[in-house]
Amino acid sequence: MSVRILEQMGLIELVVNGERRTGVAEPRTLLSDFLRHELGLTGTHVGCEHGVCGACTVEIDGRLARSCITLAVQVQGSSVRTIEGVATSDSFHPIQEALRDNYGLQCGFCTPGFVLTMRALLAQNQHPSETEIREFLSGNVCRCTGYAGIVAAVQDAAHRLAEAPS
Ligand code: FES
Ligand code: FES
């Protein structure tokens, strides 16, 4: 690595999935690359790298964001949730179980982004209609499933979350 690049590296401090984390990044380092290569959180997938497909979706301070068009320096001091922070260590999140049980994934490449997006939808609307589900998920692309299983999974997850102990 050149001396010039090393001089430009900065320390990023943030909270990721509830844990304080630090890492170094260049001013141009994308959040997706920072999460994957600096912090080792490879569950955030990178597809289009243009903010179009939703595979890289994460939560920043409680709001969905595309990590492929966010710079790592922009999350300095923020709280970030990735797919690794959705489930507990010994069990899947009800959304993940619903995706599995409703054939809402095949290759799984798009799934982390969908899970974060579905989670945000169900946090603000506990019983979304099919139209509301399709509209909310319209920024996430899946090339395998045809979406029917994903929509069914959101409806199933809504029931599971309603029945889950608070
Ligand atoms: S990789 Fe970020 S939106 Fe496609
Ligand atoms: S499951 Fe393959 S892209 Fe969605």
Side-chain angles (χ1 to χ4, degrees):
M1 193 174 292
S2 76
V3 173
R4 183 170 164 71
I5 289 177
L6 279 173
E7 283 172 350
Q8 291 176 347
M9 297 290 246
L11 187 68
I12 309 293
E13 297 179 318
L14 72 168
V15 173
V16 182
N17 301 329
E19 282 182 26
R20 284 195 179 282
R21 300 291 303 266
T22 57
V24 292
E26 293 178 55
R28 65 179 181 175
T29 301
L30 298 170
L31 177 58
S32 50
D33 289 336
F34 180 76
L35 291 169
R36 290 176 55 82
H37 305 307
E38 182 69 11
L39 301 187
L41 296 170
T42 55
T44 298
H45 292 168
V46 177
C48 66
E49 295 186 273
H50 284 86
V52 176
C53 75
C56 67
T57 301
V58 297
E59 225 179 71
I60 302 173
D61 293 331
R63 302 184 65 167
L64 293 178
R66 310 253 147 145
S67 59
C68 75
I69 53 171
T70 303
L71 294 171
V73 293
Q74 289 178 277
V75 299
Q76 182 73 266
S78 295
S79 179
V80 173
R81 185 187 303 276
T82 68
I83 188 64
E84 288 89 347
V86 168
T88 58
S89 59
D90 55 357
S91 64
F92 288 128
H93 188 278
I95 289 173
Q96 293 170 307
E97 291 177 344
L99 278 165
R100 178 195 62 202
D101 295 348
N102 290 276
Y103 308 101
L105 73 154
Q106 288 181 31
C107 77
F109 187 84
C110 67
T111 307
F114 267 102
V115 170
L116 270 294
T117 308
M118 291 164 66
R119 190 174 172 279
L121 166 61
L122 293 175
Q124 65 181 246
N125 182 351
Q126 293 174 349
H127 299 289
S129 66
E130 180 175 344
T131 301
E132 289 170 327
I133 293 168
R134 288 185 180 276
E135 190 173 328
F136 200 91
L137 299 182
S138 62
N140 289 71
V141 175
C142 175
R143 301 190 73 169
C144 300
T145 64
Y147 300 98
I150 294 174
V151 172
V154 176
Q155 292 165 328
D156 185 6
H159 291 302
R160 292 176 194 235
L161 288 168
E163 287 168 8
S166 58

PDB file of all heavy atoms in Angstrom, residues 103-111 114 141-147 150, ligand 2:
ATOM      1  N   TYR A 103     -40.306 -21.190   1.202  1.00  0.00           N
ATOM      2  CA  TYR A 103     -39.482 -21.244  -0.025  1.00  0.00           C
ATOM      3  C   TYR A 103     -39.196 -19.833  -0.545  1.00  0.00           C
ATOM      4  O   TYR A 103     -39.262 -19.581  -1.740  1.00  0.00           O
ATOM      5  CB  TYR A 103     -40.163 -22.112  -1.094  1.00  0.00           C
ATOM      6  CG  TYR A 103     -40.541 -23.466  -0.567  1.00  0.00           C
ATOM      7  CD1 TYR A 103     -41.845 -23.757  -0.199  1.00  0.00           C
ATOM      8  CD2 TYR A 103     -39.562 -24.454  -0.389  1.00  0.00           C
ATOM      9  CE1 TYR A 103     -42.187 -25.002   0.338  1.00  0.00           C
ATOM     10  CE2 TYR A 103     -39.899 -25.690   0.141  1.00  0.00           C
ATOM     11  CZ  TYR A 103     -41.205 -25.958   0.498  1.00  0.00           C
ATOM     12  OH  TYR A 103     -41.522 -27.182   1.045  1.00  0.00           O
ATOM     13  N   GLY A 104     -38.883 -18.951   0.395  1.00  0.00           N
ATOM     14  CA  GLY A 104     -38.621 -17.560   0.031  1.00  0.00           C
ATOM     15  C   GLY A 104     -37.169 -17.308  -0.324  1.00  0.00           C
ATOM     16  O   GLY A 104     -36.763 -16.148  -0.451  1.00  0.00           O
ATOM     17  N   LEU A 105     -36.387 -18.366  -0.463  1.00  0.00           N
ATOM     18  CA  LEU A 105     -35.010 -18.195  -0.916  1.00  0.00           C
ATOM     19  C   LEU A 105     -34.559 -19.434  -1.666  1.00  0.00           C
ATOM     20  O   LEU A 105     -35.063 -20.530  -1.417  1.00  0.00           O
ATOM     21  CB  LEU A 105     -34.050 -17.920   0.250  1.00  0.00           C
ATOM     22  CG  LEU A 105     -33.697 -19.082   1.177  1.00  0.00           C
ATOM     23  CD1 LEU A 105     -32.342 -18.843   1.818  1.00  0.00           C
ATOM     24  CD2 LEU A 105     -34.754 -19.234   2.261  1.00  0.00           C
ATOM     25  N   GLN A 106     -33.650 -19.206  -2.589  1.00  0.00           N
ATOM     26  CA  GLN A 106     -33.037 -20.339  -3.291  1.00  0.00           C
ATOM     27  C   GLN A 106     -31.514 -20.214  -3.156  1.00  0.00           C
ATOM     28  O   GLN A 106     -30.917 -20.842  -2.303  1.00  0.00           O
ATOM     29  CB  GLN A 106     -33.492 -20.369  -4.743  1.00  0.00           C
ATOM     30  CG  GLN A 106     -34.966 -20.804  -4.844  1.00  0.00           C
ATOM     31  CD  GLN A 106     -35.470 -20.872  -6.259  1.00  0.00           C
ATOM     32  OE1 GLN A 106     -34.734 -21.150  -7.187  1.00  0.00           O
ATOM     33  NE2 GLN A 106     -36.754 -20.592  -6.433  1.00  0.00           N
ATOM     34  N   CYS A 107     -30.893 -19.369  -3.947  1.00  0.00           N
ATOM     35  CA  CYS A 107     -29.429 -19.241  -3.801  1.00  0.00           C
ATOM     36  C   CYS A 107     -29.067 -18.472  -2.530  1.00  0.00           C
ATOM     37  O   CYS A 107     -27.976 -18.631  -1.998  1.00  0.00           O
ATOM     38  CB  CYS A 107     -28.818 -18.570  -5.023  1.00  0.00           C
ATOM     39  SG  CYS A 107     -29.041 -16.782  -5.074  1.00  0.00           S
ATOM     40  N   GLY A 108     -29.966 -17.614  -2.066  1.00  0.00           N
ATOM     41  CA  GLY A 108     -29.722 -16.883  -0.826  1.00  0.00           C
ATOM     42  C   GLY A 108     -28.941 -15.598  -0.974  1.00  0.00           C
ATOM     43  O   GLY A 108     -28.722 -14.900   0.024  1.00  0.00           O
ATOM     44  N   PHE A 109     -28.537 -15.271  -2.189  1.00  0.00           N
ATOM     45  CA  PHE A 109     -27.695 -14.077  -2.348  1.00  0.00           C
ATOM     46  C   PHE A 109     -28.427 -12.804  -1.923  1.00  0.00           C
ATOM     47  O   PHE A 109     -27.868 -11.921  -1.290  1.00  0.00           O
ATOM     48  CB  PHE A 109     -27.220 -13.943  -3.803  1.00  0.00           C
ATOM     49  CG  PHE A 109     -26.225 -12.842  -3.978  1.00  0.00           C
ATOM     50  CD1 PHE A 109     -24.878 -13.063  -3.715  1.00  0.00           C
ATOM     51  CD2 PHE A 109     -26.620 -11.577  -4.365  1.00  0.00           C
ATOM     52  CE1 PHE A 109     -23.957 -12.039  -3.834  1.00  0.00           C
ATOM     53  CE2 PHE A 109     -25.701 -10.551  -4.486  1.00  0.00           C
ATOM     54  CZ  PHE A 109     -24.366 -10.789  -4.226  1.00  0.00           C
ATOM     55  N   CYS A 110     -29.698 -12.729  -2.279  1.00  0.00           N
ATOM     56  CA  CYS A 110     -30.476 -11.523  -1.967  1.00  0.00           C
ATOM     57  C   CYS A 110     -31.009 -11.525  -0.541  1.00  0.00           C
ATOM     58  O   CYS A 110     -31.522 -10.509  -0.063  1.00  0.00           O
ATOM     59  CB  CYS A 110     -31.660 -11.434  -2.925  1.00  0.00           C
ATOM     60  SG  CYS A 110     -32.873 -12.780  -2.647  1.00  0.00           S
ATOM     61  N   THR A 111     -30.952 -12.682   0.125  1.00  0.00           N
ATOM     62  CA  THR A 111     -31.708 -12.881   1.370  1.00  0.00           C
ATOM     63  C   THR A 111     -31.321 -11.929   2.509  1.00  0.00           C
ATOM     64  O   THR A 111     -32.218 -11.401   3.181  1.00  0.00           O
ATOM     65  CB  THR A 111     -31.584 -14.356   1.810  1.00  0.00           C
ATOM     66  OG1 THR A 111     -31.957 -15.192   0.709  1.00  0.00           O
ATOM     67  CG2 THR A 111     -32.484 -14.646   2.984  1.00  0.00           C
ATOM     68  N   PHE A 114     -33.121  -8.754   1.949  1.00  0.00           N
ATOM     69  CA  PHE A 114     -34.566  -8.921   2.139  1.00  0.00           C
ATOM     70  C   PHE A 114     -34.911  -9.009   3.623  1.00  0.00           C
ATOM     71  O   PHE A 114     -35.904  -8.437   4.070  1.00  0.00           O
ATOM     72  CB  PHE A 114     -35.065 -10.181   1.414  1.00  0.00           C
ATOM     73  CG  PHE A 114     -35.551  -9.905   0.022  1.00  0.00           C
ATOM     74  CD1 PHE A 114     -34.757 -10.193  -1.072  1.00  0.00           C
ATOM     75  CD2 PHE A 114     -36.801  -9.338  -0.204  1.00  0.00           C
ATOM     76  CE1 PHE A 114     -35.201  -9.931  -2.373  1.00  0.00           C
ATOM     77  CE2 PHE A 114     -37.248  -9.075  -1.494  1.00  0.00           C
ATOM     78  CZ  PHE A 114     -36.444  -9.363  -2.579  1.00  0.00           C
ATOM     79  N   VAL A 141     -34.113  -6.898  -5.185  1.00  0.00           N
ATOM     80  CA  VAL A 141     -34.229  -7.754  -6.367  1.00  0.00           C
ATOM     81  C   VAL A 141     -33.858  -9.194  -6.011  1.00  0.00           C
ATOM     82  O   VAL A 141     -32.855  -9.441  -5.343  1.00  0.00           O
ATOM     83  CB  VAL A 141     -33.295  -7.237  -7.488  1.00  0.00           C
ATOM     84  CG1 VAL A 141     -33.311  -8.187  -8.681  1.00  0.00           C
ATOM     85  CG2 VAL A 141     -33.724  -5.838  -7.922  1.00  0.00           C
ATOM     86  N   CYS A 142     -34.703 -10.130  -6.453  1.00  0.00           N
ATOM     87  CA  CYS A 142     -34.389 -11.558  -6.330  1.00  0.00           C
ATOM     88  C   CYS A 142     -34.501 -12.175  -7.711  1.00  0.00           C
ATOM     89  O   CYS A 142     -35.531 -12.038  -8.372  1.00  0.00           O
ATOM     90  CB  CYS A 142     -35.356 -12.248  -5.366  1.00  0.00           C
ATOM     91  SG  CYS A 142     -35.096 -14.030  -5.302  1.00  0.00           S
ATOM     92  N   ARG A 143     -33.463 -12.873  -8.133  1.00  0.00           N
ATOM     93  CA  ARG A 143     -33.470 -13.452  -9.474  1.00  0.00           C
ATOM     94  C   ARG A 143     -33.859 -14.918  -9.460  1.00  0.00           C
ATOM     95  O   ARG A 143     -33.851 -15.571 -10.490  1.00  0.00           O
ATOM     96  CB  ARG A 143     -32.092 -13.276 -10.123  1.00  0.00           C
ATOM     97  CG  ARG A 143     -31.704 -11.807 -10.212  1.00  0.00           C
ATOM     98  CD  ARG A 143     -30.494 -11.603 -11.036  1.00  0.00           C
ATOM     99  NE  ARG A 143     -30.787 -11.787 -12.445  1.00  0.00           N
ATOM    100  CZ  ARG A 143     -29.960 -11.464 -13.416  1.00  0.00           C
ATOM    101  NH1 ARG A 143     -28.793 -10.944 -13.136  1.00  0.00           N
ATOM    102  NH2 ARG A 143     -30.284 -11.663 -14.671  1.00  0.00           N
ATOM    103  N   CYS A 144     -34.178 -15.463  -8.281  1.00  0.00           N
ATOM    104  CA  CYS A 144     -34.478 -16.897  -8.218  1.00  0.00           C
ATOM    105  C   CYS A 144     -35.937 -17.210  -7.959  1.00  0.00           C
ATOM    106  O   CYS A 144     -36.488 -18.120  -8.570  1.00  0.00           O
ATOM    107  CB  CYS A 144     -33.674 -17.557  -7.096  1.00  0.00           C
ATOM    108  SG  CYS A 144     -31.892 -17.431  -7.228  1.00  0.00           S
ATOM    109  N   THR A 145     -36.557 -16.528  -7.017  1.00  0.00           N
ATOM    110  CA  THR A 145     -37.784 -17.064  -6.409  1.00  0.00           C
ATOM    111  C   THR A 145     -39.079 -16.670  -7.102  1.00  0.00           C
ATOM    112  O   THR A 145     -40.102 -17.312  -6.881  1.00  0.00           O
ATOM    113  CB  THR A 145     -37.904 -16.602  -4.950  1.00  0.00           C
ATOM    114  OG1 THR A 145     -38.033 -15.161  -4.940  1.00  0.00           O
ATOM    115  CG2 THR A 145     -36.697 -17.002  -4.130  1.00  0.00           C
ATOM    116  N   GLY A 146     -39.088 -15.586  -7.864  1.00  0.00           N
ATOM    117  CA  GLY A 146     -40.350 -15.093  -8.410  1.00  0.00           C
ATOM    118  C   GLY A 146     -41.167 -14.320  -7.397  1.00  0.00           C
ATOM    119  O   GLY A 146     -42.305 -13.950  -7.681  1.00  0.00           O
ATOM    120  N   TYR A 147     -40.657 -14.140  -6.207  1.00  0.00           N
ATOM    121  CA  TYR A 147     -41.216 -13.274  -5.155  1.00  0.00           C
ATOM    122  C   TYR A 147     -42.417 -13.852  -4.411  1.00  0.00           C
ATOM    123  O   TYR A 147     -42.733 -13.375  -3.315  1.00  0.00           O
ATOM    124  CB  TYR A 147     -41.577 -11.868  -5.698  1.00  0.00           C
ATOM    125  CG  TYR A 147     -40.390 -11.134  -6.267  1.00  0.00           C
ATOM    126  CD1 TYR A 147     -40.144 -11.131  -7.631  1.00  0.00           C
ATOM    127  CD2 TYR A 147     -39.480 -10.480  -5.433  1.00  0.00           C
ATOM    128  CE1 TYR A 147     -39.045 -10.486  -8.164  1.00  0.00           C
ATOM    129  CE2 TYR A 147     -38.373  -9.822  -5.950  1.00  0.00           C
ATOM    130  CZ  TYR A 147     -38.158  -9.835  -7.324  1.00  0.00           C
ATOM    131  OH  TYR A 147     -37.057  -9.191  -7.839  1.00  0.00           O
ATOM    132  N   ILE A 150     -41.466 -15.062  -1.080  1.00  0.00           N
ATOM    133  CA  ILE A 150     -41.010 -13.973  -0.211  1.00  0.00           C
ATOM    134  C   ILE A 150     -42.211 -13.235   0.372  1.00  0.00           C
ATOM    135  O   ILE A 150     -42.250 -12.930   1.573  1.00  0.00           O
ATOM    136  CB  ILE A 150     -40.081 -13.024  -0.997  1.00  0.00           C
ATOM    137  CG1 ILE A 150     -38.786 -13.763  -1.371  1.00  0.00           C
ATOM    138  CG2 ILE A 150     -39.777 -11.764  -0.187  1.00  0.00           C
ATOM    139  CD1 ILE A 150     -37.852 -12.978  -2.279  1.00  0.00           C
TER     140      ILE A 150
HETATM  141  S1  FES B   2     -32.679 -16.361  -3.750  1.00  0.00           S
HETATM  142 FE1  FES B   2     -31.270 -16.145  -5.391  1.00  0.00          FE
HETATM  143  S2  FES B   2     -31.319 -14.052  -5.845  1.00  0.00           S
HETATM  144 FE2  FES B   2     -32.895 -14.284  -4.396  1.00  0.00          FE
END
